[in-house]
């Protein structure tokens, strides 16, 4: 099919009108480094429709349009307001950072089809803030309405998929089944996202699975739920290990929940009462494994993770800590070991 000259002119006029309207509407300025042919250029971009960005040619002042596919190099400078939001985020000022990131996400939304754009970067960090703040309703809303989700790849896609599972957390025991199905679907049907998931984001998935299994177990775990309790503790501990120094809020909560679950195991509270004031190598070795694990976790919780944490069992458990391998060459006794009676 051939177009007449009049038709071609009409399309050209419409395109120019659209470009002019976009320029007139304008938007926040972005500094973009590009290379079209040989030399690299720095462009001031003030408008974008889809992945087509508009800029002023510095050589002749004309208005031009291009897409990232037209370039050999395409890189967006991080704007000042995003830098400030990132600093708040890295400084663990999560509430302030979340507010700033939401503003950046909205301000630069017209550019969210461009690779490396500040709107998407802000949206990802905003989502991470919500996870660390354990605001699961916000996580659910942000993850399920993520802008230009279909353009995400690699670790960015994996982060949102991990957050979608974390966003399913509720205090309802029924959420365990929902999260288990979502995890199975992610690992089997979304293998690219699962394979590219950074370990600290996989920690979110472990936390969600472990916490959901713990729902409803209460302060006294029934004998027929002990296996479920152990699975929950294992997953929460995987969250601690996979976080690798990140997710400090989730790590503290996961370890605290693990301690409480082990204390709620059958026979543990009774054993705590018997062991108190009578800690020797023999009595320690005869104590239930769940109690010994709880004591070890409490020691880590109180000395490494959360010295001022609010876990109600940590202090009592730490008093039961028994170091089975003291340095006898210096005359040291095992921690918690009583002096022999005269």
């Amino acid at each position: 099919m051939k177009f007449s000259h009049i038709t071609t002119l009409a399309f050209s006029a419409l395109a120019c009108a659209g470009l002019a309207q976009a320029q007139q509407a304008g938007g926040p300025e972005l500094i973009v480094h590009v290379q079209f042919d040989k030399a690299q250029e720095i462009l001031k971009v003030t408008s974008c429709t889809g992945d087509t960005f508009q800029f002023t040619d510095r050589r002749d002042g004309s208005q031009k349009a291009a897409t990232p596919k037209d370039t050999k190099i395409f890189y967006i400078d991080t704007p000042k307001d995003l830098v400030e939001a990132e600093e708040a985020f890295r400084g663990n000022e999560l509430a302030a950072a979340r507010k700033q990131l939401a503003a950046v996400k909205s301000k630069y939304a017209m550019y969210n089809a461009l690779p490396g754009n500040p709107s998407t970067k802000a949206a990802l960090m905003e989502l991470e803030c919500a996870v660390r703040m354990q605001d699961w309703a916000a996580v659910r809303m942000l993850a399920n309405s993520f802008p230009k989700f279909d353009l995400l790849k690699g670790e960015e896609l994996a982060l949102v998929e991990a957050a979608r599972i974390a966003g399913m957390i509720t205090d309802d025991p029924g959420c365990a089944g929902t999260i288990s199905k979502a995890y199975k679907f992610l690992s089997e049907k979304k293998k690219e996202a699962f394979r590219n998931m950074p370990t600290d984001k996989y920690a979110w998935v472990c936390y969600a699975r472990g916490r959901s299994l713990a729902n409803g177990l209460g302060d006294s775990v029934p004998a027929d739920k002990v296996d479920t309790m152990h699975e929950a503790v294992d997953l929460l501990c995987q969250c601690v290990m996979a976080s690798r120094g990140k997710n400090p809020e989730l790590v503290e909560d996961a370890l605290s929940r693990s301690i409480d679950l082990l204390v709620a195991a059958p026979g543990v509270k009774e054993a705590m009462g018997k062991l108190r004031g009578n800690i020797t190598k023999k009595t320690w070795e005869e104590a239930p494994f769940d109690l010994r694990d709880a004591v070890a976790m409490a020691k880590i919780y109180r000395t490494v993770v959360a010295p001022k944490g609010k876990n109600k069992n940590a202090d009592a458990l730490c008093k039961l800590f028994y170091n089975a391998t003291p340095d006898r060459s210096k005359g040291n006794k095992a921690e918690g070991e009583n002096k022999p009676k005269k």
Side-chain angles (χ1 to χ4, degrees), residues 22-41:
Q23 285 292 334
Q24 185 175 7
E29 182 179 274
L30 286 183
I31 304 299
V32 181
H33 300 254
V34 301
Q35 180 179 343
F36 289 112
D37 295 314
K38 295 181 179 180
Q40 291 190 31
E41 301 180 52

Side-chain angles (χ1 to χ4, degrees), residues 255-257 259-260 301-302 309-315 317:
L255 199 52
S256 180
R257 288 176 185 273
I259 293 167
D260 291 343
Y301 176 86
R302 187 58 78 215
K310 297 180 180 179
N311 182 277
K312 62 183 183 296
N313 292 306
D315 289 336
L317 288 166

Side-chain angles (χ1 to χ4, degrees), residues 213 215-217 220-232 266:
L213 285 174
N215 283 348
L217 292 180
S220 182
V221 177
D224 63 341
K225 295 291 184 181
V226 169
D227 287 346
T228 300
M229 180 272 290
H230 283 149
E231 185 179 358

Side-chain angles (χ1 to χ4, degrees), residues 11-212:
F11 274 116
S12 298
L14 287 171
C16 289
L19 179 58
Q21 289 175 358
Q23 285 292 334
Q24 185 175 7
E29 182 179 274
L30 286 183
I31 304 299
V32 181
H33 300 254
V34 301
Q35 180 179 343
F36 289 112
D37 295 314
K38 295 181 179 180
Q40 291 190 31
E41 301 180 52
I42 299 177
L43 306 178
K44 288 185 178 181
V45 176
T46 57
S47 184
C48 188
T49 304
D51 65 348
T52 302
F53 58 93
Q54 290 80 36
F55 62 96
T56 301
D57 192 322
R58 292 184 300 170
R59 290 166 293 191
D60 58 15
S62 62
Q63 299 298 313
K64 292 187 176 180
T67 71
K69 294 179 181 178
D70 299 326
T71 68
K72 297 178 180 178
I73 293 175
F74 184 89
Y75 175 78
I76 301 174
D77 274 354
T78 304
K80 182 180 178 182
D81 42 5
L82 180 54
V83 171
E84 292 172 349
E86 288 175 340
E87 289 175 351
F89 174 75
R90 295 193 180 100
N92 294 322
E93 300 172 15
L94 299 181
R98 189 168 156 189
K99 185 177 180 179
Q100 292 173 272
L101 290 164
V104 172
K105 178 180 72 174
S106 176
K107 178 179 177 180
Y108 297 96
M110 72 160 56
Y111 299 110
N112 61 18
L114 300 179
N117 73 86
S119 180
T120 299
K121 287 182 177 180
L124 291 166
M125 280 189 283
E126 180 190 19
L127 187 51
E128 187 161 356
C129 281
V131 171
R132 288 179 55 186
M133 294 174 72
Q134 300 173 57
D135 185 349
W136 306 121
V139 171
R140 186 160 52 250
M141 182 272 293
L142 292 169
N144 291 331
S145 61
F146 200 89
K148 298 292 182 181
F149 175 78
D150 56 318
L151 298 180
L152 296 177
K153 295 180 181 179
E155 291 189 2
E156 292 181 348
L157 174 62
L159 182 153
V160 178
E161 292 288 8
R164 284 184 167 182
I165 291 180
M168 297 176 184
I169 292 173
T170 68
D171 292 327
D172 181 358
C175 81
T178 303
I179 288 174
S180 179
K181 289 178 182 178
Y183 173 74
K184 181 178 176 65
F185 185 78
L186 172 65
S187 60
E188 294 180 0
K189 303 298 183 181
K190 297 186 176 182
K191 294 183 179 180
E192 180 185 354
F194 190 68
R195 187 169 52 248
N196 289 316
M197 190 172 290
T199 56
D200 62 300
K201 305 306 180 291
Y202 178 66
W204 301 356
V205 178
C206 294
Y207 176 86
R209 294 173 66 203
R211 174 167 168 171
S212 66

Side-chain angles (χ1 to χ4, degrees), residues 228-269:
T228 300
M229 180 272 290
H230 283 149
E231 185 179 358
V233 171
D234 285 345
L235 286 164
L236 291 169
C237 288
Q238 285 182 45
C239 167
V240 174
M241 297 300 294
S243 291
R244 296 187 177 183
K246 299 182 179 179
N247 309 315
E249 300 81 7
L250 286 189
V251 166
E252 178 179 344
D253 190 68
L255 199 52
S256 180
R257 288 176 185 273
S258 297
I259 293 167
D260 291 343
L261 284 169
L262 291 168
V263 169
V268 170
K269 291 187 178 82

